[in-house]
Amino acid sequence: AREERSILQDWNETGDEHSAFENMIDVLKSQVRAQPDAVALVFTEQNQQITYHELDILAQRIARRLQQLGVGAETLVGICVERSLEMVLSVLGVLYAGGAYVPLDPAYPQERLRYMCEDAHIGVLMTQEHLMERFGDQGLTLLNVASAIAPVEPLAHVLKPSMIEPTNLAYIIYTSGSTGRSKGVMVSHRSLCNLVLAGGRAFGQQWGKRVLQFASLSFDASTWEMVSALGMGGTLVLAPKDDLMPGAGLQGILRDYAISTATLTPSVLAALPSTLLPDLKTLITAGEACSAEIVAQWGEQRAFYNAYGPTETTVCASASLCQPGNERPTIGGPIANMRLYVLDELLRPLPPGVPGELYLGGIGVARGYFARPDLTAERFIPDPFSLEAGARLYKTRDYVYWRADGEIEFLGRVDNQVKLRGFRIEPGEIEVVLEQCAHVQQSVVVVREDVPGEKRLVAYLVPRASETLDLEAVRTYLRSKLPYYMLPSALIVLDALPLSPNGKVEQKQLPAPQVAQVEGSVQQQPRDTLELQLVQIYEEVLKQGPLSIGDDFFALGGHSLLAVRLMAEIQKRVAVPVSLSMIFQHSSIMHLAAALRSAATVPPSALVPIKAQGMQSSLFLVHPANGQVACYYRLAAHLPDAQPLYGFQDLSVYGGAASELSIEEMAAVYIQELQRQQPSGPYHLGGYSFGGLVAFEMAQQLLAQGQRVALLAILDGAGPVAAGGKVPSATELLATIVGEAIHKASSMTLQDVYAVLEPLEYAQQLEHALDLLRTHGVHLLVMEPDWLRGQVDLFARRIRAAHRYRARVYPEQIVLLRATLRDALPYEEDASEDLGWQRYTQRPLDIRRIACYHEGLVGEPHVQEVAKLLGSCLEGIVHISKRK
């Protein structure tokens, strides 16, 4: 019932032109002859395109240069080229020259690229000018693709016939290896030709189709995309990496370039918004298990295939045409010239319904692993079911069973190999690298799914006896050895691995990673509104928290698909440009915020939604003297779920000198923003420190409008300054800024800090202040004297505004949340029980006391009590309103 169907033989019998196709050059040349003026390649970035005739000429130019360098049959040529037309031309040039290409991803760490070059004995490497320095010390012959495709004298060098045999190598692709070394899979021209012809029949490819080039060249799916387009006379559409990330970019490419065929992993499809794409007629998914939900989402009005095939069997061995509404997709049956066997331990075929291991045979089976005869013999075994001399089966280690309808149901892996977002990963390779790190005795790497739908790699490490692990050093070492998709998202140190009675690791007993266990976490709260917004977005996208600004997106489980979601949320909620490359290069919150600040072009709004969700009336809090509202981040987290919180930030902190607005002018500006958000009262206002004074004036102006202010809460802010009050010096203000910042990590009081700074010149004071901050692990937004000088100037402006303010008596009640512990310099005003507020209200002051210092009011753990007190005040107002 499953006898071999030879497409090559079919065409021989019919006299079709394809009968001679036993190498890829013949396949491509047939398309050049058939349609020389048809568009073969399109690159979206510069809207470049070339025809089949032009493709042939350019590939021949590259092939001539390669042959001059001695490239011929079985010669391995490395290709390290960014996604571009030159990438495809390099592949074709190597094949035209008769050689075999070895793709080297420019994104891989330098040491992995070096290993692949050495392991494959590469002598010639094709690359681009800006990448050449990465290979300059390896003794390779480097060929710049741009110079190789430049015009030459017509007879400078004649391209020799390639004389390729069907069994000659077409390419080697490296895959993850359980022994700690990645291994090169050798694929022949015969296998590659079968992929073109059998794939074209299996997936209904037709001439003139537009095929998306999505996969990295280092993965075999890219081979399928190239040969399915160019081998069948279609157009291959390439785009920059950032434009292909799931989201608006990929959606736009599929739509705007009328892509008719695309091969995408289920993870990508799950992250891609489902919209009408009428030109997308054929959709193939592969690389990991596909769910019925994905088919339901993407299978309507198009041919949707679930394909299966290890790299060792030339990309694709089987496929299933899936219909929406059916059960979980199978991996189908064999494509032409491939055979699938479900066998027991003795290599005996199993009947339908009985699970066993899947073995693959046929033309697509690779030649083996390059220079790894032992591993080749282990995984490529003699085929007991074939009459062909030398035929072999590939042992997949996949656990499956035949269904009654002749399709195969995938059950899982026999070994530990995993597929994560389409990437094939051997945890053993990561474990070997980990155990090469200093002080690591044991390790185990697993895939966890603590958040449904979000799988990630987690590494558990046991240090050597009496030694301490530097997790930052471990991660740096991993980055130098492994590609990005193999890096564990969390490193967790254990005293010992949990073992079963037979000595195996009990994976179910391995603890779930916590934020505090993730490497790179610097426990700092947001320092400005931008960092506050990023923390909130990170927490929502990663579905975990609370996070600090030192937390790294990828260390917390982020990956390329989540990065797309992160980028979209930042673009939607923060008025600054952001790209995926920025997220990859600056993956911690503090570093991304720094990059975004430098790119900012649109000033943010004065009103910042710190916690926008909730059914209750919003609470509005004014910034302290530094102009930022990030101090309210932890407060928002502890307020009742139904309580929204907004903050007023001073826009002057985002550019140029701070404004000299008076308290009255500031209040008027913030009221305009307030009433755009909430046109009428009752209003709930407040402010921390200096912000309490502005909130007080806002309440006065709102009452003058005839509006109702239901709550005015002052968070440890002093009352209006009496005429003739002391104006602080720059040194006193600097000591206040530094002292409050280091208070948690130091026993120094503000007076101590002032005593240290006061004898120095002001320039020296600034430098010494930064040293104090660094010593106590505190990092300002910019650790430079000029920036710190600007903060002191800003503080001084606020103090001057407070001294100019002449307050009126407020007719309603004021709630004062007062820190009971005082650590103040002499300039600081009224330290009485009421902080000078009672004389400015006609009603008794409602004082709520918290046993902490001033700066502790908005920090853990005391902010929890502040949130509880504010929540009770707001709840009391709601109850009174209901009774009325």
Side-chain angles (χ1 to χ4, degrees):
R2 287 181 278 276
E3 66 184 69
E4 180 173 321
R5 296 165 291 150
S6 174
I7 288 182
L8 302 181
Q9 184 62 37
D10 288 349
W11 272 317
N12 281 327
E13 291 173 354
T14 60
D16 193 288
E17 184 185 12
H18 294 71
S19 60
F21 289 172
E22 292 210 322
N23 69 64
M24 278 305 301
I25 296 174
D26 291 337
V27 175
L28 294 168
K29 287 285 189 180
S30 73
Q31 300 301 342
V32 173
R33 292 191 298 270
Q35 46 175 7
D37 297 326
V39 176
L41 302 178
V42 169
F43 186 48
T44 65
E45 188 171 46
Q46 291 95 25
N47 203 24
Q48 297 172 299
Q49 61 181 42
I50 58 176
T51 65
Y52 273 89
H53 177 65
E54 292 166 335
L55 177 148
D56 186 48
I57 291 172
L58 297 174
Q60 286 194 54
R61 288 177 184 170
I62 294 173
R64 290 190 192 101
R65 292 292 303 277
L66 290 172
Q67 286 185 346
Q68 287 176 327
L69 297 172
V71 173
E74 300 293 303
T75 305
L76 299 180
V77 179
I79 297 178
C80 187
V81 177
E82 304 278 5
R83 190 184 292 272
S84 59
L85 298 184
E86 287 78 10
M87 181 186 78
V88 181
L89 291 170
S90 298
V91 170
L92 300 183
V94 173
L95 296 179
Y96 270 45
Y101 70 91
V102 182
L104 304 168
D105 193 329
Y108 281 3
Q110 186 67 28
E111 192 158 338
R112 193 174 185 86
L113 294 177
R114 182 186 294 274
Y115 163 76
M116 292 164 69
C117 288
E118 292 174 352
D119 187 70
H121 307 302
I122 290 172
V124 177
L125 176 73
M126 298 193 66
T127 188
Q128 294 163 301
E129 183 71 34
H130 66 284
L131 298 173
M132 282 190 166
E133 63 181 5
R134 299 188 65 180
F135 302 94
D137 62 344
Q138 292 185 234
L140 301 170
T141 299
L142 301 179
L143 180 58
N144 187 339
V145 182
S147 63
I149 61 177
V152 296
E153 293 296 324
L155 298 178
H157 179 71
V158 177
L159 182 64
K160 300 174 186 176
S162 61
M163 305 300 292
I164 299 172
E165 297 293 330
T167 56
N168 283 145
L169 280 180
Y171 64 84
I172 289 179
I173 281 185
Y174 275 79
T175 66
S176 180
S178 59
T179 62
R181 296 166 53 202
S182 58
K183 51 192 183 290
V185 179
M186 302 184 291
V187 175
S188 70
H189 275 269
R190 182 169 182 251
S191 297
L192 192 54
C193 284
N194 189 70
L195 178 66
V196 179
L197 306 175
R201 174 179 288 183
F203 301 117
Q205 296 291 324
Q206 299 175 14
W207 289 45
K209 295 291 186 181
R210 297 174 73 83
V211 178
L212 178 66
Q213 205 289 294
F214 180 82
S216 163
L217 188 63
S218 291
F219 294 93
D220 60 355
S222 67
T223 306
W224 159 248
E225 291 162 346
M226 286 188 284
V227 300
S228 68
L230 302 178
M232 301 301 290
T235 299
L236 185 67
V237 179
L238 300 98
K241 183 178 179 179
D242 280 2
D243 291 350
L244 292 174
M245 300 307 290
L250 176 55
Q251 205 171 42
I253 296 293
L254 293 169
R255 180 188 63 245
D256 299 341
Y257 287 85
I259 301 299
S260 56
T261 301
T263 302
L264 303 169
T265 65
S267 294
V268 169
L269 292 175
L272 185 64
S274 181
T275 57
L276 291 175
L277 296 168
D279 296 298
L280 187 59
K281 300 298 185 184
T282 303
L283 189 54
I284 303 166
T285 193
E288 57 188 338
C290 179
S291 66
E293 290 75 18
I294 294 294
V295 180
Q297 182 182 359
W298 289 97
E300 292 288 348
Q301 299 181 338
R302 62 173 58 97
F304 186 101
Y305 294 92
N306 186 37
Y308 166 86
T311 303
E312 288 84 348
T313 58
T314 318
V315 186
C316 184
S318 70
S320 173
L321 178 60
C322 306
Q323 300 294 334
N326 292 352
E327 56 193 18
R328 186 167 71 98
T330 71
I331 61 173
I335 65 170
N337 301 317
M338 290 298 294
R339 298 187 303 277
L340 278 58
Y341 299 97
V342 181
L343 307 178
D344 65 12
E345 295 85 351
L346 300 177
L347 301 185
R348 295 175 299 193
L350 294 169
V354 179
E357 187 172 345
L358 179 62
Y359 289 75
L360 304 177
I363 292 177
V365 175
R367 280 173 35 177
Y369 299 114
F370 183 78
R372 303 284 292 276
D374 52 341
L375 189 57
T376 298
E378 176 188 330
R379 299 299 291 271
F380 295 84
I381 66 172
D383 185 349
F385 309 105
S386 175
L387 299 178
E388 181 182 348
R392 290 168 306 154
L393 294 179
Y394 173 65
K395 182 181 177 73
T396 67
R397 307 299 288 156
D398 285 331
Y399 198 51
V400 302
Y401 69 89
W402 283 110
R403 297 198 329 180
D405 59 5
E407 297 203 341
I408 285 183
E409 186 83 36
F410 178 83
L411 298 175
R413 290 289 299 176
V414 176
D415 58 15
N416 293 326
Q417 186 190 104
V418 297
K419 282 289 189 77
L420 192 62
R421 293 178 292 280
F423 297 112
R424 172 173 153 182
I425 299 171
E426 295 275 5
E429 180 176 359
I430 306 171
E431 291 166 2
V432 168
V433 175
L434 280 168
E435 289 167 18
Q436 293 169 353
C437 296
H439 312 308
V440 175
Q441 179 178 341
Q442 286 180 287
S443 69
V444 64
V445 176
V446 301
V447 174
R448 297 190 66 100
E449 192 175 359
D450 300 299
V451 177
E454 298 293 346
K455 295 181 180 179
R456 60 169 171 156
L457 285 171
V458 177
Y460 297 86
L461 313 177
V462 177
R464 299 185 189 280
S466 304
E467 295 184 358
T468 302
L469 286 180
D470 181 346
L471 292 183
E472 184 176 357
V474 172
R475 188 170 290 280
T476 299
Y477 184 77
L478 291 178
R479 284 175 175 149
S480 73
K481 296 283 188 180
L482 299 172
Y484 69 94
Y485 62 88
M486 292 179 68
L487 295 174
S489 66
L491 304 177
I492 299 177
V493 179
L494 301 176
D495 294 332
L497 297 175
L499 301 177
S500 66
N502 61 5
K504 292 185 177 181
V505 175
E506 289 277 18
Q507 293 195 7
K508 291 182 179 179
Q509 294 184 23
L510 292 169
Q514 305 297 321
V515 172
Q517 294 172 300
V518 179
E519 175 273 322
S521 179
V522 178
Q523 293 302 318
Q524 278 188 266
Q525 291 189 19
R527 300 165 296 183
D528 71 349
T529 305
L530 180 56
E531 288 183 346
L532 168 64
Q533 291 172 307
L534 290 181
V535 166
Q536 293 170 325
I537 294 170
Y538 269 53
E539 289 178 346
E540 290 174 18
V541 171
L542 292 167
K543 297 184 177 68
Q544 56 181 292
L547 302 183
S548 94
I549 60 173
D551 288 326
D552 183 279
F553 178 73
F554 297 102
L556 291 167
H559 48 75
S560 56
L561 300 182
L562 278 180
V564 175
R565 199 181 307 166
L566 181 71
M567 180 184 71
E569 287 300 315
I570 294 172
Q571 289 174 338
K572 182 168 68 175
R573 292 158 56 175
V574 182
V576 291
V578 61
S579 65
L580 274 174
S581 59
M582 290 176 71
I583 292 173
F584 281 105
Q585 292 169 18
H586 312 285
S587 50
S588 77
I589 295 171
M590 64 166 65
H591 293 141
L592 181 58
L596 293 177
R597 282 187 208 100
S598 64
T601 55
V602 181
S605 167
L607 188 64
V608 178
I610 301 172
K611 180 186 173 191
Q613 299 80 19
M615 300 299 293
Q616 303 290 355
S617 296
S618 299
L619 173 62
F620 298 88
L621 299 179
V622 181
H623 60 80
N626 66 7
Q628 305 282 0
V629 296
C631 60
Y632 299 128
Y633 162 63
R634 296 308 307 147
L635 175 62
H638 293 297
L639 284 171
D641 292 341
Q643 181 59 62
L645 174 62
Y646 289 80
F648 291 103
Q649 67 179 352
D650 187 337
L651 296 184
S652 65
V653 300
Y654 284 92
S659 68
E660 288 281 5
L661 291 179
S662 67
I663 300 291
E664 293 88 347
E665 290 168 333
M666 241 185 258
V669 170
Y670 296 162
I671 285 174
Q672 290 179 359
E673 292 277 0
L674 169 69
Q675 293 184 327
R676 274 195 281 268
Q677 173 69 23
Q678 183 180 324
S680 61
Y683 293 107
H684 306 122
L685 302 177
Y688 168 59
S689 194
F690 169 83
L693 206 57
V694 181
F696 175 79
E697 175 58 25
M698 289 176 67
Q700 296 277 35
Q701 293 185 21
L702 287 167
L703 291 181
Q705 290 181 8
Q707 297 286 352
R708 179 170 171 243
V709 177
L711 174 66
L712 174 59
I714 310 296
L715 280 63
D716 208 49
V721 182
K726 184 180 183 301
V727 177
S729 67
T731 303
E732 289 174 316
L733 295 177
L734 179 61
T736 301
I737 292 172
V738 174
E740 290 186 352
I742 69 174
H743 186 272
K744 236 181 159 179
S746 171
S747 60
M748 293 180 73
T749 65
L750 267 62
Q751 289 89 345
D752 294 334
V753 176
Y754 179 78
V756 170
L757 297 178
E758 195 273 333
L760 305 175
E761 295 292 330
Y762 189 50
Q764 294 175 313
Q765 290 177 1
L766 293 168
E767 291 285 1
H768 193 73
L770 291 173
D771 287 341
L772 280 173
L773 291 166
R774 292 189 192 97
T775 300
H776 292 92
V778 176
H779 294 272
L780 302 178
L781 287 172
V782 181
M783 296 294 282
E784 293 176 1
D786 285 347
W787 190 87
L788 185 53
R789 187 193 305 269
Q791 292 301 294
V792 174
D793 291 345
L794 178 63
F795 202 166
R797 285 178 174 83
R798 300 293 174 258
I799 297 293
R800 286 198 293 271
H803 276 259
R804 291 194 302 267
Y805 180 50
R806 293 296 169 257
R808 306 177 307 281
V809 176
Y810 184 63
E812 303 294 338
Q813 187 176 62
I814 298 174
V815 176
L816 173 64
L817 278 68
R818 187 190 190 284
T820 59
L821 305 180
R822 311 310 291 179
D823 179 18
L825 291 172
Y827 80 85
E828 296 201 16
E829 49 290 296
D830 202 329
S832 60
E833 177 68 8
D834 66 359
L835 298 183
W837 281 108
Q838 184 58 75
R839 62 180 175 269
Y840 289 100
T841 174
Q842 294 178 357
R843 298 191 179 187
L845 195 66
D846 182 359
I847 302 178
R848 313 289 180 97
R849 298 168 183 80
I850 299 98
C852 66
Y853 288 99
H854 176 73
E855 63 277 6
L857 210 68
V858 289
E860 300 287 1
H862 304 291
V863 71
Q864 299 177 35
E865 188 176 353
V866 173
K868 186 177 180 180
L869 290 172
L870 283 174
S872 67
C873 290
L874 292 164
E875 185 179 3
I877 292 168
V878 170
H879 288 164
I880 291 170
S881 298
K882 285 181 177 177
R883 285 199 300 272
K884 288 183 178 179

